[in-house]
Amino acid sequence: MPSGDITSIDFTLTKSQIIKDNGSRGISFRSGQRYHDAEGERKRALKQLAYYAGLNRGCPRAGFPVFERVRVLCVVCYPKGVGRADPGNLSHTVKPLIDGLTEAGF
């Protein structure tokens, strides 16, 4: 893609897809001898979501960067009526999305 072109990919996530950085990241517990990692499953799902979104935007997975430079703008919107919010707590949600786009070739 020529430099100067802007590609926008929007992700609208549900409450169950969000991973917070303030300790409320989900449930991890021991079930018998198996360790259930709910956060890891959600991270893998977010990465896969972004990977397929990147491929659908025409970004070929070619083993080399398609763009010379990439700028990521993350806009966090909270539902009306949320009193206090800290968008920085969503870094654990944004990182897998960026990783998926990187794997897709962005």
Side-chain angles (χ1 to χ4, degrees):
M1 292 185 171
S3 65
D5 283 357
I6 295 175
T7 298
S8 176
I9 300 176
D10 299 327
F11 297 100
T12 301
L13 303 177
T14 64
K15 187 176 182 177
S16 65
Q17 291 174 301
I18 293 175
I19 306 166
K20 298 178 186 174
D21 190 31
N22 62 0
S24 57
R25 294 183 178 174
I27 303 168
S28 294
F29 58 88
R30 285 198 179 272
S31 175
Q33 294 299 322
R34 292 184 50 187
Y35 180 72
H36 180 69
D37 183 10
E39 182 180 338
E41 291 172 7
R42 290 191 291 170
K43 283 183 178 181
R44 280 187 291 280
L46 287 171
K47 185 175 178 179
Q48 185 177 39
L49 172 73
Y51 173 76
Y52 287 119
L55 290 182
N56 287 336
R57 294 294 290 172
C59 192
R61 185 175 175 211
F64 57 88
V66 175
F67 301 99
E68 187 175 312
R69 229 178 248 184
V70 175
R71 178 179 298 163
V72 176
L73 172 65
C74 178
V75 178
V76 178
C77 300
Y78 288 95
K80 189 174 184 177
V82 172
R84 293 181 57 196
D86 186 0
N89 279 339
L90 300 180
S91 62
H92 288 273
T93 301
V94 175
K95 176 74 164 77
L97 295 173
I98 293 173
D99 290 346
L101 290 172
T102 301
E103 193 172 307
F106 276 89

